[in-house]
């Protein structure tokens, strides 16, 4: 039998009227839950009933109103709020499914669309209460949909135990920051230009990391809100839970001075101190901490200051000793260059103070990590001999492996091409030509997936224009039958979107070039991600006939044990 899935909602029950039928300990618990949600519980039980002591105390304290009579149908339609014609807002029956009253109350409530909950009787309920962890404004609810309430409680405890302390306080603080930004930037009804921060029930939209140009005035108006959104998405939960007033001040601080600020730390002039400083550029791999090189792990343990890109995952940042200061790049669409300059200036300041500064990047520093630019920058500032570059496992090659895609495969693919989907300043790069035996991995491409697919499958205006010029020069007239030389990718070419590779929430979307745009728009965004294109994508995982795409959730690539060693437990 196929089990149903409930629609989970959060109800604002302030001022609601809840009827509680029964006098047992569960009735006392239901009254307590109702009160904690801001509702007013009314107890329906005859005066002769023996009340649980907790119920009696709440009645004596004036928290619970007691109607001293047996349940009657008219209670449902006369005890509620005036603004809803005196119909009660919810009913809790605590006497169990064997009592005839339980089925009767359930039937009349269902007929009149009044939410009803009957203990241990899912078939009589229109709603159920979740096993809930509460930490300030943060609520986490678990349900097994009537298949085992004790298991739901166990899962809730496990989930709550895995969370860092003070996360609820962080929610409060970040909520205050959000409201303050809205007030100061006059964006009272728009958290982002595309509304990404409106609803808790959805993942990031496909436009979460969309390209923002310097000329985009709307983006300039809400750049602080975009930064706050990026913090909530990328900062490790432990870091968010420990957010300080200084962090809040940095979020609220204007970015106008970042690009032109004087180099930080120029006053540190002691040569003997500066001589001990150094800069380490290190790649942190695709995401899973077990993918770190030993050299990078040592650098993390012994660095005096760590400057991390925002995409470095929580599992890696958790390895940083508590004593080590960490600064996470304030990069978001439209602010990348300013944030990059800020990190570089902080690195120089650290070196001049004699510190070992670790620039921690995702993947490999030299594979679209701007590592070469940073080395050049430090050389220009006389620190070339202070720079050490450590390699990392690039997601361009590891992500396909974790998605069961062999980029090279005999008789299928004999070459691999790694490309960027976005050039400098957002300019579209030259698209690669189609080669049947080639696998192409596109990094930094998903935010402009529609444009990329069009460029791969159709000729560019510049290609056709240059061809006309060549024809005119060679023959004196254009040759209408001549076509651009670049071979186009067939629209039915298999491809795969791999997001958060090797992280617990890894996701793989398998589809084709003609459907990948629709798939991303419908499934949403889970950055960082990449696109793999080529026949190798379907060698081990072919789409079922008639399906436009498939979605695979979770990472299990390291789930194996060897002599008691579980490499997937990090």
């Amino acid at each position: 039998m196929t089990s149903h899935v409930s629609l989970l909602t959060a109800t604002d029950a302030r001022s609601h009227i809840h009827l509680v039928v029964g006098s047992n300990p569960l009735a006392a618990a239901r009254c307590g839950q109702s009160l904690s949600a801001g509702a007013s519980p009314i107890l329906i039980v005859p005066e002769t009933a023996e009340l649980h002591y907790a119920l009696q105390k709440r009645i004596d304290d004036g928290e619970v109103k007691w109607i001293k009579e047996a349940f009657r149908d008219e209670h449902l339609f006369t005890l509620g709020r005036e603004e809803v014609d005196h119909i009660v807002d919810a009913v809790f029956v605590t006497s169990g499914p064997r009592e005839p009253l339980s089925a009767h109350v359930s039937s009349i409530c269902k007929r009149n669309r009044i939410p009803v909950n009957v203990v241990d009787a899912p078939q009589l309920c229109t709603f159920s209460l979740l096993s809930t962890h509460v930490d300030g404004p943060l609520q986490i609810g678990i349900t097994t949909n009537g298949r085992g309430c004790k298991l739901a409680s166990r899962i809730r405890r496990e989930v709550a135990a895995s969370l860092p302390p003070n996360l609820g306080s962080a929610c409060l603080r970040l909520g205050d920051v959000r409201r303050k930004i809205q007030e100061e930037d006059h964006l009272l009804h728009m958290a982002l230009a595309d509304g990404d921060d409106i609803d808790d029930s959805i993942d990031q939209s496909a436009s979460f990391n969309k390209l923002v140009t310097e000329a985009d005035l709307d983006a300039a108006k809400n750049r602080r809100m975009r930064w706050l959104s990026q913090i909530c998405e990328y900062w490790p939960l432990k870091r968010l839970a420990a957010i300080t007033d200084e962090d809040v001040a940095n979020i609220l601080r204007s970015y106008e001075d970042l690009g032109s600020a004087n180099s930080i730390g120029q006053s540190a002039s002691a040569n003997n101190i500066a001589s001990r400083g150094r800069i380490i550029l290190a790649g942190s791999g695709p995401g899973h901490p077990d993918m770190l090189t030993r050299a990078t792990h040592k650098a993390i343990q012994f660095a005096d200051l760590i400057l991390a890109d925002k995409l470095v995952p929580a599992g890696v940042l958790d390895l940083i000793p508590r004593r080590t200061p960490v600064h996470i790049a304030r990069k978001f669409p439209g602010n990348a260059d300013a944030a990059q300059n800020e990190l570089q200036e902080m690195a120089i300041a650290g070196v001049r103070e004699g510190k070992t500064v670790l620039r921690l990047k995702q993947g490999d520093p030299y594979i679209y990590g701007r590592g070469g630019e940073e080395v050049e920058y430090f050389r220009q500032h006389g620190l070339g001999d202070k720079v050490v570059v450590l390699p990392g496992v690039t997601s361009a090659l590891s992500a396909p492996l974790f998605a069961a895609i062999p980029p090279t495969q005999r008789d299928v693919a004999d070459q691999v091409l790694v490309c960027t989907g976005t050039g400098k300043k957002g300019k579209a790069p030259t698209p690669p030509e189609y080669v049947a035996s080639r696998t192409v991995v596109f990094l930094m491409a998903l935010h402009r997936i529609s444009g990329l697919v069009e460029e791969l499958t159709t000729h560019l205006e510049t290609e056709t224009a240059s061809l006309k010029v060549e024809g005119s020069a060679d023959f004196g007239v254009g040759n209408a039958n001549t076509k651009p030389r670049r071979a186009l990718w067939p629209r039915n070419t298999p491809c795969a979107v791999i997001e958060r590779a090797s992280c617990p929430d890894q996701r793989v979307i398998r589809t084709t070039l003609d459907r990948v745009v629709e798939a991303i728009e419908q499934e949403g965004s889970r950055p960082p991600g990449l696109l793999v294109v080529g026949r190798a994508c379907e060698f081990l995982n072919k789409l079922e006939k008639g399906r436009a795409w498939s979605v695979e959730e979770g990472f299990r690539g390291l789930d194996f044990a060897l002599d008691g060693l579980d490499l997937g437990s990090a």
Side-chain angles (χ1 to χ4, degrees):
M1 184 178 73
T2 303
S3 60
H4 76 282
V5 176
S6 299
L7 176 64
L8 301 184
T9 64
T11 302
D12 184 353
R14 289 174 294 182
S15 79
H16 283 196
I17 301 296
H18 293 167
L19 289 195
V20 179
V21 181
S23 60
N24 53 21
L26 180 60
R30 291 291 187 254
C31 286
Q33 291 168 316
S34 178
L35 288 166
S36 65
S40 298
I42 297 178
L43 183 68
I44 305 292
V45 66
E47 186 175 7
T48 57
E50 182 178 352
L51 297 183
H52 185 263
Y53 70 89
L55 267 179
Q56 187 65 62
K57 186 177 187 307
R58 291 193 181 277
I59 293 171
D60 294 341
D61 292 342
E63 295 178 335
V64 175
K65 180 180 179 180
W66 181 14
I67 303 296
K68 300 178 181 181
E69 57 188 46
F71 173 83
R72 293 184 284 110
D73 293 355
E74 52 262 35
H75 288 148
L76 300 175
F77 312 105
T78 58
L79 297 178
R81 295 173 290 147
E82 182 178 357
E83 58 266 36
V84 291
D85 296 330
H86 302 286
I87 299 174
V88 298
D89 296 288
V91 177
F92 298 94
V93 181
T94 66
S95 54
R98 296 182 180 180
E99 294 290 334
L101 178 63
S102 298
H104 174 74
V105 174
S106 172
S107 175
I108 192 171
C109 285
K110 288 180 178 180
R111 194 179 314 128
N112 291 276
R113 299 183 179 181
I114 299 173
V116 60
N117 175 272
V118 180
V119 63
D120 293 334
Q123 72 279 9
L124 299 180
C125 299
T126 58
F127 77 96
S128 60
L129 296 180
L130 311 186
S131 179
T132 308
H133 167 71
V134 180
D135 181 8
L138 174 64
Q139 291 180 276
I140 300 174
I142 304 293
T143 179
T144 59
N145 285 299
R147 297 303 192 270
C149 60
K150 299 302 182 184
L151 180 58
S153 178
R154 164 74 186 280
I155 295 171
R156 184 258 304 163
R157 293 196 306 270
E158 294 282 346
V159 171
S162 69
L163 297 175
N166 303 318
L167 194 56
S169 298
C171 293
L172 279 173
R173 178 164 287 181
L174 290 170
D176 291 340
V177 172
R178 181 174 182 266
R179 284 189 293 273
K180 189 170 183 179
I181 292 175
Q182 289 175 330
E183 292 170 0
E184 293 181 359
D185 294 350
H186 305 289
L187 297 175
L188 294 176
H189 303 292
M190 293 176 60
L192 292 173
D194 51 11
D196 278 351
D197 198 30
I198 299 300
D199 198 328
D200 286 342
S201 67
I202 57 176
D203 283 335
Q204 302 295 353
S205 72
S207 60
F208 177 63
N209 274 334
K210 69 180 180 180
L211 180 66
V212 178
T213 65
E214 293 179 353
D216 192 338
L217 296 180
D218 288 335
K221 291 179 181 179
N222 59 28
R223 55 190 174 182
R224 294 192 301 174
M225 189 62 75
R226 297 183 70 87
W227 169 228
L228 178 60
S229 180
Q230 299 279 321
I231 285 175
C232 294
E233 176 67 25
Y234 291 114
W235 278 24
L237 286 181
K238 288 183 179 178
R239 181 74 176 86
L240 282 173
I243 193 168
T244 64
D245 291 337
E246 182 180 357
D247 294 325
V248 171
N250 287 333
I251 295 171
L252 295 174
R253 181 163 56 89
S254 172
Y255 283 79
E256 293 178 358
D257 60 340
L258 288 183
S260 59
N262 293 327
S263 181
I264 302 174
Q266 285 184 339
S267 60
S269 57
N271 292 332
N272 59 334
I273 295 178
S275 64
R276 296 196 299 267
R278 59 178 172 171
I279 301 172
I280 301 174
L281 269 67
S284 64
H288 198 289
D290 282 348
M291 296 293 100
L292 283 175
T293 65
R294 293 184 64 183
T296 297
H297 185 265
K298 289 180 180 178
I300 290 174
Q301 296 302 308
F302 295 106
D304 299 310
L305 170 65
I306 295 180
L307 308 175
D309 283 347
K310 73 174 186 180
L311 296 181
V312 176
V316 174
L317 295 178
D318 285 343
L319 300 175
I320 299 174
R322 292 185 178 181
R323 67 178 183 275
T324 307
V326 181
H327 181 88
I328 299 175
R330 302 196 291 177
K331 290 186 179 181
F332 57 85
N335 191 64
D337 289 341
Q340 179 75 8
N341 291 338
E342 181 183 33
L343 287 185
Q344 291 173 162
E345 290 175 349
M346 293 180 70
I348 291 177
V351 171
R352 289 174 175 166
E353 295 171 359
K355 295 178 179 179
T356 295
V357 180
L358 174 59
R359 268 293 285 121
L360 193 58
K361 296 176 169 291
Q362 194 191 35
D364 183 275
Y366 282 178
I367 304 297
Y368 297 112
R370 301 183 72 165
E373 295 179 28
E374 294 192 23
V375 171
E376 182 184 29
Y377 179 89
F378 297 135
R379 285 178 177 177
Q380 292 173 350
H381 286 75
L383 300 177
D385 60 337
K386 302 289 185 182
V387 180
V388 177
V389 183
L390 302 179
V393 177
T394 175
S395 61
L397 299 181
S398 59
L401 182 148
F402 294 136
I405 298 173
T408 62
Q409 177 65 41
R410 285 194 301 175
D411 302 325
V412 177
D414 57 17
Q415 54 185 275
V416 182
L417 179 64
V418 180
C419 297
T420 177
T422 306
K424 190 174 182 180
K425 301 295 183 182
K427 183 179 178 182
T430 301
E433 67 177 346
Y434 170 69
V435 178
S437 61
R438 171 182 290 172
T439 302
V440 183
V441 181
F442 291 95
L443 305 179
M444 301 177 292
L446 300 184
H447 63 281
R448 58 172 304 270
I449 186 66
S450 179
L452 177 61
V453 170
E454 183 177 359
E455 292 154 7
L456 292 175
T457 57
T458 60
H459 288 118
L460 309 178
E461 293 184 5
T462 54
E463 291 176 307
T464 56
S466 62
L467 196 64
K468 292 180 180 179
V469 173
E470 290 178 9
S472 177
D474 292 341
F475 307 108
V477 293
N479 187 347
N481 295 322
T482 302
K483 295 183 179 180
R485 297 184 180 90
R486 179 172 64 93
L488 299 179
W489 289 79
R491 297 189 64 85
N492 64 349
T493 302
C495 66
V497 175
I498 309 170
E499 298 169 299
R500 300 187 61 78
S502 80
C503 293
D505 56 345
Q506 172 181 297
R507 181 173 67 178
V508 181
I509 303 175
R510 304 185 193 275
T511 183
T512 52
L513 280 179
D514 60 340
R515 303 302 295 272
V516 65
V517 174
E518 181 184 357
I520 291 177
E521 289 179 348
Q522 184 163 324
E523 300 295 339
S525 174
R526 192 178 294 178
L530 54 80
L531 176 70
V532 185
V533 181
R535 291 192 299 148
C537 292
E538 66 173 5
F539 180 73
L540 295 177
N541 294 275
K542 288 183 171 59
L543 275 176
E544 294 181 11
K545 188 175 181 180
R547 293 192 65 178
W549 64 80
S550 66
V551 180
E552 299 168 12
E553 294 275 1
F555 173 67
R556 295 170 294 276
L558 300 180
D559 284 348
F560 65 91
L562 182 61
D563 295 332
L565 175 65
D566 184 2
L567 295 182
S569 62

